[in-house]
Amino acid sequence: MTKANSGGPSPSPAVIGEAVLGVRGVAFLRPALGARLRSAAAAAAATAAASPGRAASAPHHASGVKISAASGDRAAAVDVHVVLLRGYRALDVTRAVREAVRTSYPDAARTIPVHVVVTGIV
């Protein structure tokens, strides 16, 4: 069930990621493969360089958010991959995540499908 987007431009994945991280029960957003590889490469480079006080960069939380563009800069759908904290019901957290995404994108809050995928529980 896809609805047409009649709102303004979509927010960045970072804005959506920040909103999702504020939801109770969300441990973190699942990093994408590219972010994992960049993090591993940065850690290896930091170890090889042996620079004191230089830590490897953590994967950016926005990599767990994917915005599909329909036309121009308007979003057709938003996919969010989250890892939950143990003790929270997945249904309740996914509903809250969906609402947080829609709140961060008020221009088209009810016209863009938001898909939430729970990838793990910690």
Side-chain angles (χ1 to χ4, degrees):
M1 176 169 105
T2 304
K3 298 177 185 176
N5 180 6
S6 61
S10 63
S12 70
V15 170
I16 292 174
E18 287 294 326
V20 170
L21 288 175
V23 173
R24 286 179 45 131
V26 173
F28 54 89
L29 280 90
R30 183 205 68 182
L33 179 60
R36 289 180 185 175
L37 292 174
R38 281 189 298 278
S39 177
T47 302
S51 301
R54 187 173 181 202
S57 61
H60 196 273
H61 61 267
S63 64
V65 177
K66 179 184 173 205
I67 300 174
S68 308
S71 63
D73 59 352
R74 295 186 179 170
V78 176
D79 297 317
V80 181
H81 295 264
V82 296
V83 176
L84 304 183
L85 294 170
R86 188 170 310 282
Y88 289 87
R89 285 183 25 167
L91 178 62
D92 296 336
V93 176
T94 56
R95 285 178 177 163
V97 166
R98 191 171 290 120
E99 188 58 33
V101 171
R102 289 183 173 144
T103 301
S104 70
Y105 189 14
D107 293 340
R110 303 294 173 214
T111 61
I112 296 176
V114 178
H115 307 117
V116 180
V117 178
V118 176
T119 60
I121 299 173
V122 292

